[in-house]
Amino acid sequence: MPENKVVLHYGGNSYEYPVVEGTIGDRGIDISQLRSQTGLITLDYGFKNTGSTSSGITFLDGDKGELLYRGYPIEELAEKSNFTEVMYLLLNGELPGKKDYDTFEANIKVHNYVAEEMKKIIDAFPRYAHPMGVLSTLTSALTAFNPKAVDAQSVEDLNHAAELMIAKFAHLCAWTYRKTQGLPLNHGDNSLNYVENFYKMVFRLPNEEFELDTYIVDALDKLLILHADHEQNCSTSTVRLVGSAHTGLFASISSGVSALWGPLHGGANQAVIEMLERIKSDGGDVAKYIAKAKDKNDNFRLMGFGHRVYKNFDPRAKIIKKASDVILSKMGIKDKALDIALQLEKIALEDDYFIERKLYPNVDFYSGIIYKALGFPTEMFTVMFALGRLPGWIAQWKEMRLNGDPIGRPRQVYTGAKKRNFVPIDQR
Ligand code: CMC
């Protein structure tokens, strides 16, 4: 039976702090009285040991390689569900019945029109602007066009804001791509489902009929499901922190997009393809790059290998590898960079260096391969990650608001100058 309290001895006194139990996984020491009782705060760079909240949305076990959304294993959701259903599940806590599913889907379709004036904002960007910067701006601009959805208080208001966000975000993601290509910004086709509509909005040419291949929609559905939530990661924590000031949903999600943009977070899938291109242009010598990755005097790392939390395998990578095999064979793709990826994967999985350090391909190793095969430019990969992560961000924001979490306001250990007097500039 695990103990239900910890005792801290400090300054000749003892203080007891309760241990908080979750349903599974980490237990936490509740230190909410720590500062008032002892005058101490905790210091935890990068929050590696700090729970910022309790949450009932996503559970992951890095040692077992397990990922659950609302209790459902990611493998089952990727196999049997679709992205719209997973969005509903994350937002509402339960899988929808047929009627609820239809209403949810219909509400998203009702709201997916994006105001024409938004096109003027996107027009003002240079064509070479990074899609993530454009996406963050457009997401924030939604606030101006939907002012009534900003000050959401009731559950109905929160759900309405969530549906608006989901409906319009797919358009914005598609538009960031079309801007880079100089293609007209279109308004989609409501006879299609969410993922089909998004895919068509991205790739439809104005002078050609558009055909949807079911295996492509299936792969995209899986990719979006696999990225839909990952508990308190950097961008999700950002969304919750911004929202804790009762900032509206659109502005909070815009901050999440900015956090995700960073190469240490959502940018890794882009880094994988850039690495493959680098190896290709250097003659395709895979063994040379495996040796570089193992060489401690060389800072080269095999991008798409290893994970901070998953030390056994990344459960998302197993699913996505299968999907990438299907895509590559169905599309009959012969690409030197993709050949290099397959060789890297094979050699690394058999190499003692990678086996001993538990370095397995992560989700980003394969997601970049699929996006490349589908024709997305590398700069769009993180936008695709954002589209997938959107329901997780919204579900976490909604949970934070409904739980009544206080405004996030960390403390610090101050290391600057002590109090001193101002010296006028002519005397310095
Ligand atoms: N290539 C070569 N060696 C590696 C790699 C790699 N990709 N990753 C870790 N190592 C080695 C590292 O040098 C160290 O070796 P040693 O014990 O001899 O010093 C050992 O493995 C442990 O590495 P670490 O840096 O302590 O592990 P970490 O948990 O701090 O880092 C990681 C995790 C993901 C940052 C790291 O594996 C990495 O840089 N991978 C490449 C970048 C990447 O693919 N990132 C995407 C992560 S998935 C997206 C997400 O969910 O956020």
Side-chain angles (χ1 to χ4, degrees):
M1 183 73 183
E3 289 190 55
N4 60 5
K5 65 177 184 218
V6 296
V7 181
L8 174 72
H9 301 284
Y10 177 71
N13 295 315
S14 297
Y15 306 91
E16 285 187 2
Y17 297 100
V19 172
V20 180
E21 295 273 341
T23 36
I24 30 175
D26 284 335
R27 283 171 294 133
I29 307 166
D30 178 351
I31 54 151
S32 38
Q33 300 304 315
L34 179 71
R35 187 167 178 275
S36 61
Q37 291 178 342
T38 66
L40 295 172
I41 61 166
T42 55
L43 188 57
D44 185 18
Y45 292 103
F47 309 121
K48 289 186 183 177
N49 308 281
T50 297
S52 56
T53 190
S54 53
S55 175
I57 301 173
T58 290
F59 172 75
L60 71 90
D61 183 326
D63 296 322
K64 280 203 222 153
E66 184 173 67
L67 175 60
L68 312 175
Y69 294 163
R70 302 285 191 184
Y72 293 101
I74 191 70
E75 293 81 2
E76 287 190 35
L77 293 171
E79 183 63 32
K80 299 175 185 164
S81 188
N82 66 41
F83 188 52
T84 301
E85 189 172 53
V86 168
M87 289 198 280
Y88 183 99
L89 172 69
L90 287 168
L91 290 171
N92 298 293
E94 295 297 336
L95 288 167
K98 174 87 177 84
K99 194 162 158 259
D100 288 333
Y101 181 93
D102 289 346
T103 309
F104 180 63
E105 191 174 44
N107 287 349
I108 291 173
K109 287 184 179 177
V110 165
H111 296 306
N112 69 9
Y113 185 81
V114 174
E116 280 290 300
E117 293 99 313
M118 289 280 282
K119 291 185 176 174
K120 293 193 185 135
I121 301 177
I122 206 167
D123 264 354
F125 281 97
R127 199 158 143 182
Y128 52 80
H130 195 289
M132 283 298 275
V134 179
L135 182 62
S136 166
T137 306
L138 293 177
T139 307
S140 190
L142 285 177
T143 304
F145 292 92
N146 303 275
K148 286 199 190 124
V150 173
D151 184 23
Q153 297 294 341
S154 63
V155 181
E156 290 72 33
D157 287 352
L158 293 169
N159 286 339
H160 177 63
E163 284 169 0
L164 287 183
M165 186 73 248
I166 287 171
K168 295 178 195 304
F169 196 73
H171 270 61
L172 304 186
C173 290
W175 284 3
T176 63
Y177 168 77
R178 293 184 76 88
K179 168 77 188 180
T180 62
Q181 306 299 303
L183 286 165
L185 307 178
N186 45 5
H187 280 288
D189 174 352
N190 270 352
S191 68
L192 301 173
N193 74 28
Y194 190 81
V195 173
E196 291 166 344
N197 193 14
F198 166 74
Y199 185 66
K200 184 172 172 185
M201 268 191 294
V202 172
F203 287 118
R204 184 176 181 277
L205 296 175
N207 52 351
E208 280 180 23
E209 282 304 306
F210 188 83
E211 289 208 10
L212 274 166
D213 291 306
T214 48
Y215 67 90
I216 292 179
V217 175
D218 188 53
L220 273 180
D221 238 323
K222 283 195 172 48
L223 274 162
L224 296 172
I225 290 172
L226 296 180
H227 286 90
D229 199 38
H230 216 228
E231 49 122 294
Q232 308 308 319
N233 56 81
C234 176
S235 56
T236 302
S237 298
T238 302
V239 170
R240 285 186 81 126
L241 185 65
V242 173
S244 76
H246 291 200
T247 303
L249 179 63
F250 306 134
S252 304
I253 298 294
S254 168
S255 330
V257 172
S258 298
L260 186 73
W261 190 1
L264 296 186
H265 189 10
N269 50 15
Q270 179 172 339
V272 170
I273 296 299
E274 285 166 357
M275 172 189 76
L276 296 176
E277 293 295 343
R278 176 178 161 195
I279 300 175
K280 183 172 109 179
S281 61
D282 190 25
D285 186 349
V286 172
K288 172 178 162 188
Y289 281 85
I290 293 275
K292 275 167 78 61
K294 290 158 62 173
D295 180 356
K296 291 293 156 204
N297 297 316
D298 189 326
N299 63 8
F300 175 79
R301 279 194 168 196
L302 218 47
M303 298 313 287
F305 274 74
H307 196 276
R308 171 55 61 81
V309 184
Y310 295 120
K311 293 300 178 195
N312 191 340
F313 64 92
D314 180 341
R316 302 167 300 172
K318 277 198 171 173
I319 302 164
I320 210 65
K321 176 171 168 41
K322 265 199 212 158
S324 79
D325 289 346
V326 171
I327 286 283
L328 295 185
S329 81
K330 288 252 190 205
M331 296 183 93
I333 286 188
K334 297 258 174 293
D335 179 329
K336 181 81 179 133
L338 297 178
D339 285 348
I340 290 171
L342 300 179
Q343 286 177 55
L344 275 178
E345 179 201 24
K346 188 167 183 305
I347 298 175
L349 286 175
E350 289 167 357
D351 190 300
D352 282 347
Y353 174 94
F354 292 89
I355 294 168
E356 279 160 16
R357 289 169 181 75
K358 302 186 173 177
L359 300 171
Y360 300 93
N362 59 51
V363 67
D364 285 328
F365 188 72
Y366 301 108
S367 64
I369 291 174
I370 297 186
Y371 291 138
K372 182 170 161 49
L374 295 184
F376 286 98
T378 45
E379 287 198 334
M380 275 298 287
F381 293 1
T382 321
V383 170
M384 295 304 297
F385 193 154
L387 182 63
R389 186 54 53 87
L390 180 72
W393 286 334
I394 302 175
Q396 301 269 353
W397 182 88
K398 181 177 158 188
E399 180 184 68
M400 178 269 309
R401 287 295 301 272
L402 291 179
N403 281 355
D405 284 6
I407 185 168
R409 203 311 187 174
R411 292 207 171 250
Q412 63 169 13
V413 172
Y414 176 67
T415 57
K418 290 196 173 150
K419 189 175 176 188
R420 49 186 169 163
N421 290 116
F422 179 80
V423 180
I425 194 162
D426 57 350
Q427 292 168 34
R428 281 177 227 156

